[in-house]
Amino acid sequence: MNVTRRTFVTWASRGLAGLCAGGGALGAARFARPLQVEDLGARVSLGPLSALPPGTRIHLPEADVHLFHEAGGLYAISGKCTHLGCSLLLEPDGFACPCHGARFDLEGQPRSGPAPRPLVWLRLSVDLRGEAWLHLDQPVRPGTRAAS
Ligand code: FES
């Protein structure tokens, strides 16, 4: 087959345009997708401890973890229901599961509904620079608080 210079340039430019379009679509899909827990490392920075004053109540949606700072210190509780893993809703007096109605107190202890176990508490630490860290792979005994 004889390929003229014009034909070659046409094919090459079409191929390059296709590659660019595909790469752009992949890049857009990457950024359009919500951040997943598996995108996070096992240790997640929470920023400076000074930015988490007593009274703080934050939900970290990427990890589905609720962070509290009370007089006793800083603590983190998984927002996943221990029944079938639905994401819990934080209410003034505890957590409520929208799936099958389980309820937990603010310490993660089950109060009613089908959830068989307390919520999982996760380790928090503060480094020498005053930066707070959440350790997603390190469950701790319920009630464990990081000194603040
Ligand atoms: S998943 Fe929460 S009660 Fe079923």
Side-chain angles (χ1 to χ4, degrees), residues 63-134:
D64 198 1
V65 170
H66 294 268
L67 181 70
F68 300 88
H69 192 176
E70 295 179 346
L74 202 60
Y75 64 100
I77 299 180
S78 169
K80 292 206 180 315
C81 182
T82 55
H83 180 223
L84 295 177
C86 286
S87 189
L88 299 167
L89 304 172
L90 179 61
E91 297 186 337
D93 61 342
F95 299 91
C97 184
C99 294
H100 312 106
R103 299 190 71 82
F104 302 83
D105 66 17
L106 284 174
E107 298 273 310
Q109 293 298 319
R111 290 294 172 238
S112 63
R117 295 179 307 281
L119 299 179
V120 174
W121 285 52
L122 296 166
R123 181 174 167 245
L124 293 167
S125 64
V126 180
D127 68 18
L128 295 175
R129 295 175 308 159
E131 186 168 359
W133 294 89
L134 168 64

Side-chain angles (χ1 to χ4, degrees), residues 9 59-60 74 76 81 136:
V9 169
H59 180 233
L60 306 168
L74 202 60
C81 182
L136 294 171

